Short mmCIF file of all heavy atoms in Angstrom, two decimals:
data_model
loop_
_atom_site.label_atom_id
_atom_site.label_comp_id
_atom_site.label_asym_id
_atom_site.label_seq_id
_atom_site.Cartn_x
_atom_site.Cartn_y
_atom_site.Cartn_z
N PHE A 186 24.52 -55.84 -84.97
CA PHE A 186 25.46 -56.26 -86.00
C PHE A 186 26.87 -56.39 -85.43
O PHE A 186 27.56 -57.39 -85.68
CB PHE A 186 25.44 -55.25 -87.15
CG PHE A 186 26.59 -55.39 -88.12
CD1 PHE A 186 26.67 -56.48 -88.97
CD2 PHE A 186 27.59 -54.43 -88.17
CE1 PHE A 186 27.73 -56.62 -89.85
CE2 PHE A 186 28.65 -54.56 -89.05
CZ PHE A 186 28.72 -55.66 -89.90
N ALA A 223 27.77 -58.14 -101.37
CA ALA A 223 26.92 -58.11 -102.56
C ALA A 223 25.45 -57.98 -102.17
O ALA A 223 24.69 -57.23 -102.81
CB ALA A 223 27.15 -59.38 -103.38
N GLY A 258 50.78 -64.07 -86.07
CA GLY A 258 51.65 -64.44 -84.96
C GLY A 258 52.39 -65.74 -85.23
O GLY A 258 53.54 -65.92 -84.79
N GLY A 299 24.38 -43.02 -103.92
CA GLY A 299 23.40 -43.98 -103.45
C GLY A 299 24.00 -45.19 -102.78
O GLY A 299 25.22 -45.43 -102.82
N PHE A 304 27.79 -49.33 -100.87
CA PHE A 304 27.98 -50.66 -100.30
C PHE A 304 28.69 -51.61 -101.27
O PHE A 304 29.26 -52.62 -100.85
CB PHE A 304 26.65 -51.26 -99.85
CG PHE A 304 26.07 -50.62 -98.62
CD1 PHE A 304 24.86 -49.94 -98.67
CD2 PHE A 304 26.74 -50.68 -97.41
CE1 PHE A 304 24.33 -49.34 -97.53
CE2 PHE A 304 26.22 -50.08 -96.26
CZ PHE A 304 25.03 -49.41 -96.33
N VAL A 309 34.02 -54.84 -103.43
CA VAL A 309 35.15 -55.01 -104.35
C VAL A 309 36.47 -55.05 -103.58
O VAL A 309 37.35 -55.87 -103.86
CB VAL A 309 35.17 -53.86 -105.39
CG1 VAL A 309 36.44 -53.91 -106.23
CG2 VAL A 309 33.93 -53.91 -106.26
N ALA A 440 30.36 -44.73 -83.55
CA ALA A 440 29.70 -44.91 -84.84
C ALA A 440 28.19 -44.93 -84.72
O ALA A 440 27.50 -45.14 -85.72
CB ALA A 440 30.17 -46.23 -85.48
N MET A 590 11.86 -45.15 -65.74
CA MET A 590 13.28 -44.79 -65.80
C MET A 590 13.46 -43.40 -66.41
O MET A 590 14.26 -42.60 -65.93
CB MET A 590 14.05 -45.83 -66.61
CG MET A 590 15.56 -45.63 -66.58
SD MET A 590 16.21 -45.81 -64.89
CE MET A 590 17.96 -45.51 -65.17
N ARG A 628 50.66 -62.82 -63.59
CA ARG A 628 51.99 -63.28 -64.02
C ARG A 628 52.01 -63.44 -65.53
O ARG A 628 51.27 -64.25 -66.08
CB ARG A 628 52.35 -64.60 -63.34
CG ARG A 628 52.59 -64.48 -61.84
CD ARG A 628 52.90 -65.83 -61.23
NE ARG A 628 51.76 -66.74 -61.34
CZ ARG A 628 51.81 -68.03 -61.00
NH1 ARG A 628 52.93 -68.55 -60.55
NH2 ARG A 628 50.72 -68.79 -61.11
#
Side-chain angles (χ1 to χ4, degrees):
F186 167 69
F304 288 117
V309 172
M590 187 63 181
R628 291 178 296 173

